[in-house]
Amino acid sequence: MSQVNPILKLLADGQFHSGEEIGEILGVTRSAVWQTLKRLLPAHFEIQAVRGRGYCIPDGLELLDGMMIRAELGEAEAQLAQLEIIESVDSTNRYVLNKPNVESGFALIAEQQTAGRGRLGRSWISPFGRNIYLSLLWRFPEGSASLTGLSLAVGVSVARALQLYGVKGINLKWPNDIVYESQKLGGILLELNGDVVGPCQVVIGIGLNVHMPAALSTGIAQPWTDVYSILRQQPQRNRLVGLVLRELLLMLPRFQKFGLASFRESWQQLDALYNQPVVVQSLQEQVFGIAKGVDELGYLLVDTKGKLQRFSSAEVSVRKSI
Ligand code: BTN
């Protein structure tokens, strides 16, 4: 169920609405409308207020809709325990990690994150109503050792969803960036609770740039893109997030049975760095070499003057070297 503020729902149609009209439609006084808008406006720069015309979100927004999302799931719906849609949260990953008694297959999607988390302690820019912020919890009774390579399998699922949506030319940059023509389109953040040997649960967090407001682009420290810039069409966020969820829900039981082995070849076909000169950065050193895909555990392989070295994503980051 979506908990989005009714005024935002009304303004999502992209038309101007006066305070009076909003009050009439929602059955509240003008002053109540104004009080709510006063609270919403500082956080919702997408709302325009024009004297004499009222309020509007230019071009409108497709707000999240549980029915539309479920319509994309097909046979994968059997794996979904619950779908929660929320207007605003600090981080969908944090929310799901801390929620008590969550069933495996619980998914949370937010319209906005106020403290979205990225890899390596970075933040993830998460404006209202524009992009995708999804977290899915999955339990692994066999322990965290069985999760090796999961983030690569998640990358393959997200790439498949984007392809089904109509985005061609998606690549994956180790360990888990979704890229298009060397620009970052999305990211994956796995966070776990539990044991190496005993049962554990993982929260799979996915952020996808769907239609990032240009005003926020200065906050992103690397080249990036969004689905809107690639396809030049008004994005259908519900369809896209539904496809992502579908691919994840289909992938997870298969991953539990066969592990990375069942996804490694697909990952290598999408590998943005394969045979490229790269620099691998750890706390202690920089290593230069040629990227050679991943091994059976999902470690990055780099040819350094004829010697093949392996790197774990927990320890290093990698970029193309020029
Ligand atoms: C990266 O740094 O590339 C990973 C970004 C992951 C962002 C997503 S958005 C949904 C989920 N909740 C978070 O706080 N982070 C992940």
Side-chain angles (χ1 to χ4, degrees), residues 171-179 267 272-273 318-320:
N171 286 113
L172 298 172
K173 178 180 158 284
W174 186 89
N176 41 20
D177 282 359
I178 319 292
V179 294
W267 193 91
L273 295 178
V318 64
R319 61 184 159 80
K320 266 190 202 174

Side-chain angles (χ1 to χ4, degrees), residues 91-93 113 116-119 124 134 184 187-189 205-207:
S91 149
T92 55
N93 266 28
Q113 294 184 119
R117 312 210 275 225
R119 273 189 77 234
W124 188 256
L134 160 71
K184 187 153 171 170
I188 295 162
L189 180 67
I206 292 166

